[in-house]
Amino acid sequence: MARNPAARPPDDDLRSIADSMAEQSRAYLTTVTEVAAGANPEAALPLLLLAVSDLLAEGARLGAITDVVPAERFEPDVGPDPDVEPLRAGLANSFEGIDEYAEVIDPLLGAEVGPATVSGDLVSIAGALAQGLRHHERGGVLEALWWWQFSYLSDWGERASSTLRTLQVILAHLRLDVDDDVATEAEYDALQP
């Protein structure tokens, strides 16, 4: 009896990508959970900047490989979706006053701008990563890769890119926006022998 070629196990390269993506997903989820809980608020922005940057680098690998097609043409049920509302509320609290930003909806189709929130984007990304991670932890390597790749291309890659830029801009404003008197004094001090 011939085996269904689509049912073969993933090759070592795909397994390696899946394992790496699982590790990066866990790291991202840990970081956003800690930030939402208020742990180390002084480092929250740099930690999120690193977490989102690292995640995008891993996501680029998903975009670079050919389409992953699992053996089954349906997504196996891995149980109910996790409740992300506490995470959303914690992140919204952490970004109070700087959460909302404007983004270009689709830069290829036009300059239409729409509203977005850092907290909403971070949680949307977390939900997509958690779904893939649940497949991975159950041994569904191809299902996890398919989900991560599909959701990267359709949603979380774009959300992460927009959020990364916004986090970098927030950090730049916090570090570079100073009163003119402070800037003048710093320039004077720097020029004195």
Side-chain angles (χ1 to χ4, degrees), residues 21 59 61-70 75 128-129 131-132 135 142-158:
M21 187 64 203
R61 292 177 72 192
L62 297 171
I65 63 175
T66 59
D67 289 348
V68 176
V69 180
E75 183 180 3
L129 297 177
Q131 180 71 0
H135 285 296
L142 287 178
E143 288 81 3
L145 270 176
W146 174 85
W147 176 255
W148 283 320
Q149 185 182 53
F150 168 76
S151 59
Y152 167 76
L153 294 171
S154 66
D155 186 52
W156 75 257
E158 185 179 347

Side-chain angles (χ1 to χ4, degrees), residues 11-122:
D11 64 28
D12 289 342
D13 288 340
L14 289 180
R15 184 172 299 281
S16 174
I17 292 170
D19 292 346
S20 183
M21 187 64 203
E23 183 179 328
Q24 194 59 53
S25 294
R26 286 184 199 98
Y28 175 87
L29 292 169
T30 298
T31 300
V32 295
T33 300
E34 288 175 357
V35 169
N40 202 359
E42 296 81 27
L45 281 174
L47 288 172
L48 287 171
L49 190 69
L50 287 169
V52 175
S53 295
D54 290 346
L55 183 62
L56 278 168
E58 197 65 40
R61 292 177 72 192
L62 297 171
I65 63 175
T66 59
D67 289 348
V68 176
V69 180
E72 301 296 327
R73 298 291 184 196
F74 64 92
E75 183 180 3
D77 185 10
V78 289
D81 291 339
D83 180 14
V84 294
E85 199 49 45
L87 183 62
R88 183 184 316 277
L91 288 168
N93 187 46
S94 295
F95 283 94
E96 186 176 351
I98 55 172
D99 196 22
E100 295 180 4
Y101 70 95
E103 71 166 329
V104 176
I105 304 290
D106 187 329
L108 292 178
L109 297 180
E112 181 183 355
V113 176
T117 62
V118 173
S119 62
D121 288 348
L122 292 171

